[in-house]
Amino acid sequence: MKRLMSAVLFTAVAIVGITVSVAATVDSDLATLRKAPLNQESTPPPMSKTLNTDIIPARSYPMQPPLIPHKIDNYQVDIKANKCMSCHARSRVADTQATMISVTHFMDRDGNFLAELSPRRYFCQQCHVTQSDAKLLVDTDFTDLDSLIGQEQ
């Protein structure tokens, strides 16, 4: 019983300590990407525009999923339908001139090829994203792989 009371008391002290430290953090001048105190609602920035160029951007690193070079607003991708396949399926690329999805999308987790799109690769936006004109939130010195290889030579 004595151990149980000690454990309860320790937990209560820990919770009070966490609450005090959180309150102190919220009240201080904390630098955030929001540019506003954490305990106040601020006006969100306007939504950035989706780029709709149909120009496929270069990849920044090996095995990066290709970026979507067009708008996908109102595309239905759910268990009933996949709008992406209306252009990117093997049977449609000759008509649409869209890039065919990779053969890896027809493989199961054991590396066996399937006759149709793998359920693991069905929801395209798990990996593929559209591009926008959003400003960078933080400075970066990211260098793509090709630039790094060029610097070594």
Side-chain angles (χ1 to χ4, degrees):
M1 185 68 173
K2 193 173 188 178
R3 286 185 178 170
L4 177 63
M5 290 301 287
S6 295
V8 169
L9 182 60
F10 177 75
T11 304
V13 168
I15 290 172
V16 168
I18 290 169
T19 304
V20 168
S21 66
V22 169
T25 302
V26 170
D27 292 336
S28 69
D29 292 329
L30 182 66
T32 68
L33 295 176
R34 304 176 68 211
K35 308 281 191 238
L38 296 174
N39 58 352
Q40 293 177 2
E41 279 295 322
S42 59
T43 304
M47 293 288 290
S48 55
K49 294 179 181 158
T50 301
L51 299 179
N52 197 33
T53 61
D54 281 339
I55 297 171
I56 299 171
R59 298 185 198 188
S60 299
Y61 56 90
M63 304 304 289
Q64 175 188 352
L67 304 172
I68 302 171
H70 57 81
K71 290 185 178 185
I72 57 170
D73 299 346
N74 301 317
Y75 272 35
Q76 181 179 357
V77 179
D78 58 28
I79 200 153
K80 295 180 182 178
N82 184 330
K83 174 69 174 165
C84 301
M85 292 298 101
S86 64
C87 294
H88 295 279
R90 282 188 286 194
S91 60
R92 298 285 302 143
V93 295
D95 296 333
T96 64
Q97 296 298 300
T99 304
M100 185 181 86
I101 61 172
S102 169
V103 294
T104 60
H105 289 59
F106 295 93
M107 295 169 62
D108 66 10
R109 67 180 177 190
D110 298 323
N112 302 315
F113 282 94
L114 307 171
E116 57 188 26
L117 185 62
S118 170
R120 296 177 344 125
R121 303 291 182 99
Y122 183 82
F123 296 101
C124 308
Q125 293 154 357
Q126 288 180 144
C127 302
H128 304 280
V129 296
T130 58
Q131 295 303 288
S132 70
D133 64 354
K135 295 177 185 173
L136 291 177
L137 295 175
V138 295
D139 290 331
T140 180
D141 60 356
F142 176 81
T143 306
D144 65 48
L145 184 62
D146 294 329
S147 298
L148 287 174
I149 291 171
Q151 290 173 1
E152 290 179 0
Q153 296 174 354

